[in-house]
Amino acid sequence: MVTISDVARRAGVSTATVSHVLNGTRFVSPATRQRVLAAIEELRYQPSAVARGLATNKTYTVGMVVADITNPFFAQLVRGVEDRLAPAGYGLFICNTDERPEREADYLDLLLRKRVDGLVVAPTGALQPRYGDFVRRGTPVVYVDRRLPEAVGPFVGIDNVAAGYLATEHLLRLGHRRIGFLARHPSLYTVSGRIGGYRRALADFGVAVDEGLICTVSPYQERAVEGAHRLLTMEPRPTAVITGNHIMTLGLLQAVQERGLRIPEDLSVVCFDDHAWSPLFSPPLTVIAHPMEELVQAVVATLLGAIAARGQREGEGAASPPTPSDVLLPARLVVRGSSCPPRAPTPPLAPG
């Protein structure tokens, strides 16, 4: 097995110089650096991750805790973060909570023991004191898509209130008045924001809120189907429904099929999240789309910036780094075939 001493002998330098080249801990002249790198390549030397971590006080790993890795949104998010962290030399621990706070707590304990250099998390919404433990250790925490009232780090995600408003406004301008909203429990950050935007749009257009049209269920498709049936059996039935995520969308589509209804003739639909299959339905689905490329880029930039600030703080003995700013991105309405004016005539809207 090739050791750091072998590399040093081949390059004609000390083992300390090889270490400085590998870890960037001290200036090494370009000529010497090139000799060391050539020796590493010739000998196919693989540095010990443990030794490197001890030398730099870094593990070159990041933890990413998501609610449901089978959700296409989170799968795409994880892949994007992983692809952008790799060139920076970081590996990714992926933890799937399945929306269960006890699993979230267990994974946070594990990542603390692993001494990850940073944490990206879409929390379940439960109070988890462990997040404070990361901050006390100096480990940056970045919340993505969801945040907590007691958040201990910056948030990166869409403006959910604006997104809920955008979906509702689209249907109102088409002439809909009875607009249902099928979503998870409103205590979740994303849901409360989107329903808040829905309420605001109705108020701005002079439409009274019917609380019966807001149906919230647990995050499982069978519950989504049940909730959709409740909306579709109301009298009078809503002429349009907004779904809060892909599980709610699939639940609504199943209920629509079971009741023999047609989209958009009997029911207009606007869905949150644009997936590869959204344009493949008949008709294609109108959606509120996340700017995924910008979201991933902002998450990684915020995290790596915070990790670099931590390293600078430790090197200079500074008290504390500035807290990174939140990044709020605009969602986008993609109009396809699942939304159209209602069949029954409706009175004009309040705004011009």
Side-chain angles (χ1 to χ4, degrees):
M1 179 179 176
V2 178
T3 68
I4 193 171
S5 298
D6 298 325
V7 174
R9 281 193 295 272
R10 176 65 65 91
V13 298
S14 68
T15 55
T17 299
V18 177
S19 177
H20 293 319
V21 170
L22 289 171
N23 300 313
T25 48
R26 187 175 297 176
F27 173 77
V28 177
S29 71
T32 302
R33 177 182 175 82
Q34 187 55 45
R35 289 208 315 275
V36 171
L37 292 176
I40 290 172
E41 179 67 23
E42 291 169 9
L43 297 174
R44 299 185 180 276
Y45 172 63
Q46 295 293 324
S48 164
V50 173
R52 190 183 183 200
L54 290 172
T56 62
N57 196 29
K58 293 175 69 175
T59 62
Y60 296 92
T61 58
V62 167
M64 188 164 185
V65 182
V66 296
D68 180 6
I69 197 65
T70 65
N71 182 327
F73 168 78
F74 287 119
Q76 192 175 356
L77 179 66
V78 167
R79 177 61 185 269
V81 170
E82 183 180 36
D83 286 348
R84 283 162 180 77
L85 282 177
Y90 286 90
L92 190 65
F93 289 119
I94 302 167
C95 304
N96 175 59
T97 66
D98 197 28
E99 301 285 9
R100 291 161 52 191
E102 65 275 13
R103 284 189 68 172
E104 181 182 23
D106 289 344
Y107 277 131
L108 293 177
D109 281 337
L110 173 65
L111 294 172
L112 275 168
R113 293 196 302 271
K114 292 290 186 182
R115 304 189 68 85
V116 294
D117 295 331
L119 182 66
V120 177
V121 58
T124 62
L127 177 64
Q128 298 284 8
R130 281 300 190 209
Y131 288 122
D133 293 338
F134 280 94
V135 174
R136 283 185 286 275
R137 180 179 283 181
T139 305
V141 179
V142 177
Y143 294 90
V144 60
D145 186 56
R146 307 172 178 181
R147 74 181 310 163
L148 299 171
E150 66 280 2
V152 293
F155 167 77
V156 179
I158 64 168
D159 184 334
N160 285 287
V161 175
Y165 191 104
L166 187 62
T168 311
E169 180 188 33
H170 168 65
L171 293 169
L172 287 165
R173 291 197 180 278
L174 287 174
H176 294 276
R177 300 296 182 274
R178 289 188 58 76
I179 301 171
F181 204 116
L182 180 63
R184 283 195 55 192
H185 194 278
S187 63
L188 193 67
Y189 175 80
T190 52
V191 178
S192 63
R194 293 168 188 179
I195 291 179
Y198 162 86
R199 291 179 181 277
R200 186 178 298 178
L202 292 175
D204 285 353
F205 283 81
V207 178
V209 177
D210 181 344
E211 297 296 336
L213 288 171
I214 302 173
C215 182
T216 57
V217 297
S218 58
Y220 305 102
Q221 189 170 337
E222 60 270 23
R223 301 286 86 82
V225 174
E226 293 171 2
H229 277 299
R230 288 201 297 273
L231 286 174
L232 298 179
T233 53
M234 293 181 68
E235 289 293 343
R237 189 176 67 215
T239 60
V241 173
I242 300 168
T243 57
N245 65 14
H246 83 292
I247 292 176
M248 302 300 130
T249 300
L250 294 175
L252 177 66
L253 294 177
Q254 182 177 332
V256 164
Q257 184 180 52
E258 290 172 355
R259 305 198 75 81
L261 300 176
R262 298 170 300 163
I263 298 175
E265 293 86 354
D266 301 316
L267 185 77
S268 283
V269 176
V270 177
C271 316
F272 268 86
D273 300 337
D274 192 14
H275 304 299
W277 42 261
S278 298
L280 305 180
F281 280 93
S282 182
L285 298 177
T286 295
V287 301
I288 298 294
H290 281 74
M292 187 58 73
E293 190 72 21
E294 293 90 338
L295 183 67
V296 168
Q297 183 177 348
V299 168
V300 174
T302 301
L303 181 70
L304 293 182
I307 291 174
R310 175 195 179 187
Q312 183 177 14
R313 179 175 82 253
E314 291 174 346
E316 298 175 353
S320 61
T323 301
S325 301
D326 290 349
V327 180
L328 214 56
L329 301 168
R332 183 168 54 97
L333 173 69
V334 181
V335 179
R336 299 191 181 110
S338 68
S339 56
C340 74
R343 289 189 298 180
T346 55
L349 294 166

